[in-house]
Amino acid sequence: MPELPEVETVRRGLAPVMEGARIVEAEQRRPNLRFDFPEDFSARLEGRRIEALGRRAKYLLADLSSGDVLVMHLGMSGSFRVVEGPDTLAPGDFAHARSKNPRHDHVVLHLETADGAPAHIIYNDPRRFGFMTLVPRAGLEAHPLFAHLGLEPLGNALDGAWLASAFAGRKTPLKAALLDQKLIAGLGNIYVCEALWRAKLSPMRAAGTLVTRSGKPSVAAVRLADAIREVLAEAVAAGGSTLRDHARTDGSLGYFQHSFAVYDREDEPCRHPGCRGTIARTVQSGRSTFHCRTCQR
DNA sequence: AGTGGGACCTGTCCGC
DNA sequence: TGCGGACAGGTCCCAC
């Protein structure tokens, strides 16, 4: 599920249960996901208290009382479910509590919440492109996973001037530049397509063309920065997008997919007022790009 | 520097 | 119904 809005939605679902909770048992059901788990994964979790659950780009970060940070990435197909109460998967559980495919439940954190109640956090990931690891808080920013991560797009720093300077001199297409986590961290295929459509910019246009000769940000750069912030904020407010699986930790669905203007809308009419174009699907760096050739320039 | 391809995995959908 | 191929929200690595 996971671009920034989906990861933030997951964070908001998990935080009320995880923050302040103690990890009673960490059940690791296979040796690896995308990467091997650390050898002492369970031992470094059990008995610790979760002090806060944060997010950086598409990573979830659980601060532990030990000084470690539990780093979690959902890959393409990772999801979390929360089950409250003493029995994890008892027959009487709500439907969402049972996994559609329990064989992909790879990690289960058994918690005692801040209120002293039992709760269970279940990580399911059919494709196993996600991963979890433990990193000391002190060295987190310098860790290879984070050292080269770019700007957080919902922070205050992303504006036209920043975009124009970050993209200056780059001949790579806007689509590729926006997907590059070293520049902006958190965008993925869907929201890049959507932001470019909102800004009426072609995904094929060279990223470096967003700068004017005077060095000031172009109108296009300002439009794009605004579009990125708006589409992400709206998607977060909608609980993210749910394409083919549960997005949220209580089993409910995000609904931003109903607001897609271009993603997965090949051959459908462009939604910009007055535009008679239709949405085209092309492939850029091996991934589908959806855009309107008529109004995106 | 930039691009294209393949790799990592499983599930689903579509056409024959 | 079965089977093969294409495709999927991410990222890394290698060859040109």
Side-chain angles (χ1 to χ4, degrees):
Chain A
M1 339 174 291
E3 296 181 40
L4 186 153
E6 290 72 39
V7 178
E8 178 60 20
T9 297
V10 171
R11 191 196 69 75
R12 292 180 185 188
L14 293 178
V17 180
M18 290 180 79
E19 291 187 334
R22 191 174 64 89
I23 301 171
V24 177
E25 184 192 352
E27 219 184 305
Q28 174 200 327
R29 296 183 174 170
R30 48 174 299 129
N32 65 298
L33 294 171
R34 180 170 169 204
F35 308 120
D36 285 350
F37 286 94
E39 291 227 355
D40 46 1
F41 185 68
S42 291
R44 281 166 73 181
L45 291 172
E46 290 172 356
R48 314 301 183 201
R49 192 166 295 278
I50 299 164
E51 293 176 344
L53 183 65
R55 178 189 59 75
R56 170 75 171 106
K58 301 173 190 172
Y59 294 88
L60 289 167
L61 306 171
D63 270 291
L64 305 181
S65 52
S66 58
D68 275 334
V69 177
L70 171 59
V71 175
M72 298 167 276
H73 195 288
L74 303 173
M76 288 280 264
S77 60
S79 64
F80 281 97
R81 301 194 317 289
V82 174
V83 178
E84 300 190 69
D87 274 325
T88 313
L89 298 170
D93 279 341
F94 295 105
H96 75 256
R98 257 170 273 119
S99 176
K100 233 172 38 174
N101 211 331
R103 78 191 189 94
H104 298 308
D105 287 346
H106 305 308
V107 178
V108 183
L109 300 180
H110 302 275
L111 306 180
E112 180 184 88
T113 68
D115 299 338
H120 316 270
I121 307 289
I122 303 163
Y123 179 69
N124 182 283
D125 188 354
R127 295 178 73 179
R128 305 204 300 276
F129 289 166
F131 62 91
M132 292 189 195
T133 193
L134 287 159
V135 177
R137 177 90 236 173
L140 193 74
E141 282 74 22
H143 189 278
L145 288 172
F146 301 99
H148 305 292
L149 271 188
L151 199 66
E152 194 65 35
L154 286 179
N156 293 322
L158 177 62
D159 58 19
W162 185 92
L163 256 192
S165 96
F167 286 6
R170 293 181 188 267
K171 295 186 173 167
T172 198
L174 281 172
K175 173 84 188 289
L178 292 172
L179 282 174
D180 187 345
Q181 305 295 300
K182 293 192 282 300
L183 299 174
I184 301 173
L187 294 175
N189 206 32
I190 292 176
Y191 296 105
V192 166
C193 291
E194 295 297 319
L196 286 168
W197 177 83
R198 288 182 181 217
K200 297 190 176 179
L201 290 169
S202 167
M204 289 78 189
R205 177 167 163 172
T209 64
L210 293 192
V211 205
T212 59
R213 283 186 186 257
S214 62
K216 295 215 169 150
S218 58
V219 174
V222 175
R223 265 197 340 249
L224 182 54
D226 289 346
I228 292 167
R229 302 172 64 95
E230 284 169 16
V231 74
L232 292 179
E234 286 174 31
V236 169
S241 305
T242 302
L243 264 45
R244 49 187 70 77
D245 214 332
H246 292 312
R248 301 162 100 165
T249 56
D250 63 358
S252 66
L253 306 179
Y255 52 89
F256 192 75
Q257 65 277 14
H258 304 303
S259 301
F260 290 167
V262 286
Y263 186 81
D264 208 17
R265 291 194 65 242
E266 185 178 14
D267 295 334
E268 293 180 47
C270 177
R271 287 182 175 161
H272 271 133
C275 180
R276 314 287 292 273
T278 57
I279 305 308
R281 176 185 175 274
T282 58
V283 175
Q284 287 178 289
S285 39
R287 321 210 39 203
S288 289
T289 291
F290 297 90
H291 82 293
C292 173
R293 286 201 184 91
T294 305
C295 67
Q296 290 182 250
R297 295 286 152 176

